[in-house]
Each structure stands twice: as C-alpha cells, then as structure tokens.
Amino acid sequence: GDVFVFSSRTKSTRELIEYFKNQGAVYAEPHYMYVTNGPLPENEPADAGAPDGAVVPNDELYGPYQWNLPAISVPDGWKLSKGADSVVVAVVDTGVDLTHPDLAAHLTEGYNAVDPDAPPQDDVGHGTHVAGIIAAVTGNGEGVAGMTWYNRIMPVKALDSTGMGSTYSVAKGIIWAVDHGAKVINLSLGNYAGAEFLHDAIRYAYERDVVLVAATGNDHTDAPGYPAAY
C-alpha cells in the first residue's frame, strides 16, 4: 500500500500520531533510527594433502586469521555444499564496496534506499565487512575465504555515511530485495524500537519464502532488539 513520511515544525510526535490515526491511517509511528550491529571494522583450489579430506581454501588470510570458520565447522559444511550462484544473499546495510577485488565477482544489481539515484556504494565499511564474511571470493589465493564459495551478494544500502538509517529505509531495502530475487536477507543492524512498517516488510519477505537473518545481542542486554525480535 501507500506509505508516507511527514514532519512538522508545530506538532509533537504524539500529536502527529493522533492526527493521522484520526484520519484513518492503518498505523502512524515515529521514524526510528537503526545502526550497524557491533563495532565498525578496521578495515576452488585443490584439497590434496588436507587431513581427513578437509577442504582448505588457498586464500592468503584463511590460515593465519580465520579461526572462526573451523570453530563453527564451516569446512565440514563445505563437504556437503559450497553454495550456489542461484541463491542470492541481500546484505541490507551500509552498502558494499562495488569494486572490492575479493567481492566484485560475486555482486549482483543492488539498491540504495537512502538515495535511490545513487549506487549502493559503501561509505562506512560495515556492509563490505559483512558481505566479505558471507561471500568473499574463495579459492582465489588472496584476501579471505567467504562462508559460501558461489553465492552472490545483492548490496542494499539502507544506512547512511554515519552508519545510521531509518526503519523506513531498512523496510524499503527489504521489500526491494525480495522483489528483485533475493533468497536470503542479512540484517546486521537494529535498535530497541519496533516499527509496524518494518514488521510488514519482514512479513512480506517471510511469506515469500525468503530466509531472514538478523543480528542481536552485541549490547549485553536482554531487551528485545529489532528487527531480530520479529
């Protein structure tokens, strides 16, 4: 349906909500701001000789630094599947570095919900970091190994150059990703305010059999974080 964003120099948020409810709006709510989840970052090979048939990528940083993948048994998972390029993962975040040498080959068309006339170029670094964890090109002898070898990343910029974005832009990014073929949506962002439009977007994706993954818990609190709580 139709969604609108209003601002006022004379009415408070509560007064605006009451006004639009009286006009028959399905719901009226504040324009909450979401942020990236967690601190900002600092920035197919032969398996011969690997013990017990283990899959060992030749990416230069895999051995020295990527202890996290063996810790969660990713190499065992690679024996079952290394992914498929038919499954597109949308990263709704600060965008992705569209020319990154360890990512560019795995990127699809994307969307900028903050500025629809601009490309979803990452100007923060967080979205590129997340995309690299998921699908950095594996087995190319450089950089890191992604958790998937073949899946493609759909960059969706919903957070601005400060790493913040509204529930409205996040919801728009989710809807666009679903409508353009994403099968998985990653949301490494959030806050402690729920929003009905965002909830509708989550439901829209869920009802179309899209897998949704949202981060929570980095702030050491038991308060429900959104959109993860949905």
Side-chain angles (χ1 to χ4, degrees), residues 18-25:
E18 290 304 315
Y19 173 80
F20 287 112
K21 283 184 176 178
N22 291 335
Q23 299 301 313

Side-chain angles (χ1 to χ4, degrees), residues 58-138:
N58 64 10
D59 302 80
E60 60 182 340
L61 302 179
Y62 176 76
Y65 296 108
Q66 290 189 273
W67 54 267
N68 54 311
L69 297 189
I72 59 173
S73 300
V74 169
D76 289 331
W78 284 335
K79 297 176 187 177
L80 302 175
S81 173
K82 295 186 178 77
D85 63 7
S86 60
V87 179
V88 176
V89 182
V91 174
V92 179
D93 209 288
T94 59
V96 173
D97 182 350
L98 304 178
T99 61
H100 195 291
D102 218 15
L103 282 170
H106 281 176
L107 298 182
T108 70
E109 176 193 8
Y111 174 63
N112 189 328
V114 178
D115 180 3
D117 294 327
Q121 177 66 32
D122 190 359
D123 48 13
V124 178
H126 188 268
T128 301
H129 176 63
V130 171
I133 292 171
I134 299 168
V137 179
T138 302

Side-chain angles (χ1 to χ4, degrees), residues 196-220:
E196 287 300 323
F197 182 47
L198 179 61
H199 197 181
D200 280 351
I202 296 288
R203 186 181 296 111
Y204 182 80
Y206 178 80
E207 290 174 349
R208 285 154 183 79
D209 202 29
V210 174
V211 175
L212 295 138
V213 182
T216 193
N218 283 15
D219 296 332
H220 307 287

